[in-house]
Amino acid sequence: MSQGNRKLRLYVTIGQRLFRDSLLFQLLLHSDIDLVGESESGIDTLNRLESAKPGVLIIEENLLDNDGLTIAENALSMHPTLSILLISDTPVSASRLAIYLESGIKAVVSKHQPIQDLVKTLFYIRNGQVYVGAWNKPDTPSQGLINAYHALSGREREVAEMIANRTPIKEIAAQLGVSCKTVHSYKDRIFIKLGFERLPELILFMKRHHNGAAA
Amino acid sequence: MSQGNRKLRLYVTIGQRLFRDSLLFQLLLHSDIDLVGESESGIDTLNRLESAKPGVLIIEENLLDNDGLTIAENALSMHPTLSILLISDTPVSASRLAIYLESGIKAVVSKHQPIQDLVKTLFYIRNGQVYVGAWNKPDTPSQGLINAYHALSGREREVAEMIANRTPIKEIAAQLGVSCKTVHSYKDRIFIKLGFERLPELILFMKRHHNGAAA
DNA sequence: CACATTTGTAGGAATTTCCTACAACAGATT
DNA sequence: AATCTGTTGTAGGAAATTCCTACAAATGTG
């Protein structure tokens, strides 16, 4: 099976159900993610890796029963090909990061980073590559995304705003005097240019972008 | 505007960006949720409620700068019609719950509850009704959902499993010797019977249900 | 046995997704 | 000024998905 269409076998260790649920839900919207298991405790994770056979493990740094880093190190010694993404409570210092990388952890994402960072990182490390950051200022759409938005044509921005306001496609078409197919084409192009896949991404971006410091 | 199609004006106060993002993303998949603002701190929330005019505020109990309950009480005194859903770190005791309800908080959802509880609660309290729980055992699909699953016909369960395994609709149709339209009809009925709206809900349920204690 | 409900199956219409196409426009180059 | 290239505005085709409806056969109930 080629690299391109191989599923990402994911195991997730997050203590709080609400957080784990909402993260899992979002990741499972991606069709090439295969959830092979989940735990709230480190010890359960260690017990289940053998049968679950994940390629990527997402694990919190601060678990209830254990230090996530310790669990991660144990997991790596048992499964050297496993790629681990550590979720830290705070942005990590350079010295701390060096320790993690030395342990074999492939990525660290802080809980203060946007979800897009975690998703991007996830697909980045599934091939075993190493990723570290956050380099974007939290709570602000990245400059690249803002640039991409400003690069949209006037008509595209007009349609983006209406779509983000949940205006029905038929109503947008009527107001702009174009066909529904045209509005769909615009939506298609907007999502491609901004790198979005789903409507909530656009809604959140437009909300945050127009409010400046609203987040 | 009738109650039925009124949008739910939502403001969310959650300190950690990753958690807030994934929760917001999921809530915004619902077309009748209108996000009017978000903050990571209680003080920002109090400053923005006047202009944001939310109907429902979701706020964490433990914020970085303040006690969520204090912020919630302040918010309520400024905006008596606001419905507040408090996210607690731990399941709350009956005595603690009484305090919250006395403060005018409409619902408390613990971080150890499934996301469906929060979503259900959200739509429950938007009309001002009071909701408290969790009554379901965490990390286990509720008994009602399991009962609903067992009430599916054999064919429905067969199709549910294949869909949850991300088998393409065309392949399911070919394997079962029926048309694609038939498979879509089955999917439609399965989602209605189980109360699901999107594929990740089914995937997570099937994964957890078949694994028993896997979560 | 009669009746009601469920199951298995599938079509119609509308919407959405993915892709392609083309004329007009705008900017860059010669 | 002419030509070339890329972008914009617009929209169709085909396939997939959603929402809804329909019907014969099977099953369950009284």
Side-chain angles (χ1 to χ4, degrees):
Chain A
M1 182 186 283
S2 72
Q3 200 83 305
N5 60 20
R6 185 186 66 189
K7 297 295 191 121
L8 191 159
R9 292 179 64 91
L10 178 66
Y11 196 105
V12 172
T13 306
I14 291 180
Q16 291 173 333
R17 174 68 187 268
L18 195 64
F19 180 30
R20 187 168 75 251
D21 268 6
S22 43
L23 188 61
L24 280 178
F25 188 98
Q26 188 153 349
L27 296 179
L28 286 172
L29 285 172
H30 294 271
S31 60
D32 49 353
I33 286 187
D34 183 9
L35 180 67
V36 297
E38 65 180 294
S39 314
E40 61 181 12
S41 73
I43 204 67
D44 283 343
T45 298
L46 289 180
N47 287 338
R48 293 175 190 153
L49 287 181
E50 193 67 30
S51 57
K53 296 176 175 35
V56 175
L57 166 64
I58 294 181
I59 185 165
E60 277 190 289
E61 184 182 27
N62 289 316
L63 293 168
L64 286 172
D65 65 335
N66 249 301
D67 166 38
L69 180 59
T70 303
I71 300 295
E73 284 171 334
N74 274 293
L76 271 171
S77 62
M78 294 157 63
H79 309 277
T81 57
L82 185 63
S83 295
I84 295 181
L85 188 162
L86 195 76
I87 297 182
S88 66
D89 278 15
T90 57
V92 294
S93 64
S95 57
R96 194 93 168 291
L97 190 57
I99 296 173
Y100 293 150
L101 297 181
E102 192 168 326
S103 300
I105 281 162
K106 292 296 196 300
V108 181
V109 173
S110 151
K111 285 182 177 176
H112 292 283
Q113 289 180 244
I115 186 72
Q116 294 93 337
D117 285 359
L118 188 143
V119 174
K120 194 194 316 174
T121 305
L122 191 57
F123 285 101
Y124 198 88
I125 67 168
R126 72 167 163 173
N127 305 333
Q129 282 164 298
V130 172
Y131 172 98
V132 297
W135 302 317
N136 296 323
K137 184 172 183 290
D139 287 323
T140 304
S142 72
Q143 197 55 47
L145 186 44
I146 293 177
N147 290 346
Y149 178 75
H150 283 119
L152 294 182
S153 71
R155 197 64 148 178
E156 285 168 341
R157 268 182 267 140
E158 197 173 7
V159 172
E161 183 154 350
M162 297 175 89
I163 291 178
N165 286 338
R166 298 192 192 273
T167 309
I169 298 293
K170 290 180 83 166
E171 194 172 319
I172 297 175
Q175 285 191 37
L176 300 185
V178 298
S179 82
C180 289
K181 300 288 271 182
T182 297
V183 180
H184 276 297
S185 292
Y186 275 122
K187 184 183 176 189
D188 206 2
R189 279 167 42 178
I190 290 160
F191 274 38
I192 289 175
K193 287 184 175 182
L194 299 183
F196 293 159
E197 290 182 54
R198 290 171 196 90
L199 181 58
E201 295 173 87
L202 180 66
I203 293 178
L204 277 171
F205 170 74
M206 297 296 284
K207 191 73 193 174
R208 290 168 175 166
H209 179 61
H210 284 153
N211 289 354
Chain B
M1 183 187 280
S2 72
Q3 199 83 308
N5 62 18
R6 186 187 66 189
K7 297 294 189 121
L8 190 158
R9 290 179 66 90
L10 178 68
Y11 196 105
V12 172
T13 306
I14 289 178
Q16 290 174 333
R17 174 68 187 269
L18 196 63
F19 180 30
R20 188 168 76 250
D21 268 5
S22 41
L23 188 61
L24 280 178
F25 188 98
Q26 187 153 352
L27 296 179
L28 286 171
L29 285 171
H30 295 271
S31 61
D32 48 355
I33 285 187
D34 182 9
L35 179 69
V36 297
E38 66 181 293
S39 315
E40 62 181 13
S41 74
I43 202 69
D44 282 344
T45 299
L46 289 181
N47 288 338
R48 293 175 189 155
L49 286 181
E50 193 67 29
S51 57
K53 298 179 175 32
V56 175
L57 167 65
I58 294 180
I59 185 165
E60 277 189 290
E61 183 181 27
N62 289 315
L63 294 167
L64 285 173
D65 65 336
N66 251 302
D67 167 37
L69 180 57
T70 302
I71 301 294
E73 283 171 337
N74 274 291
L76 271 171
S77 62
M78 292 157 63
H79 308 278
T81 58
L82 187 62
S83 296
I84 296 183
L85 188 163
L86 195 75
I87 297 183
S88 66
D89 277 13
T90 57
V92 294
S93 64
S95 57
R96 196 101 166 285
L97 191 55
I99 296 173
Y100 292 152
L101 296 182
E102 191 169 325
S103 299
I105 282 162
K106 293 294 195 302
V108 181
V109 174
S110 151
K111 285 182 177 176
H112 292 282
Q113 289 181 245
I115 187 72
Q116 293 93 338
D117 285 359
L118 189 143
V119 174
K120 195 195 313 174
T121 303
L122 191 58
F123 285 100
Y124 198 86
I125 69 170
R126 73 168 163 172
N127 307 332
Q129 283 164 298
V130 172
Y131 172 98
V132 296
W135 300 315
N136 296 323
K137 184 171 181 293
D139 287 323
T140 304
S142 70
Q143 196 56 45
L145 185 46
I146 295 177
N147 289 346
Y149 178 74
H150 284 119
L152 294 182
S153 70
R155 198 63 148 177
E156 285 169 341
R157 269 182 266 138
E158 196 172 8
V159 172
E161 182 154 348
M162 296 175 90
I163 291 179
N165 286 338
R166 300 191 190 271
T167 309
I169 298 293
K170 291 179 81 167
E171 194 172 319
I172 297 175
Q175 286 191 36
L176 300 185
V178 297
S179 83
C180 289
K181 299 287 273 182
T182 298
V183 179
H184 276 297
S185 292
Y186 274 122
K187 184 183 174 188
D188 207 2
R189 280 168 40 179
I190 289 159
F191 275 37
I192 289 175
K193 287 184 175 181
L194 300 183
F196 293 159
E197 290 182 53
R198 291 170 196 90
L199 181 59
E201 295 172 88
L202 181 65
I203 292 178
L204 277 170
F205 170 75
M206 297 295 285
K207 191 76 193 173
R208 289 168 175 166
H209 179 61
H210 283 155
N211 288 355

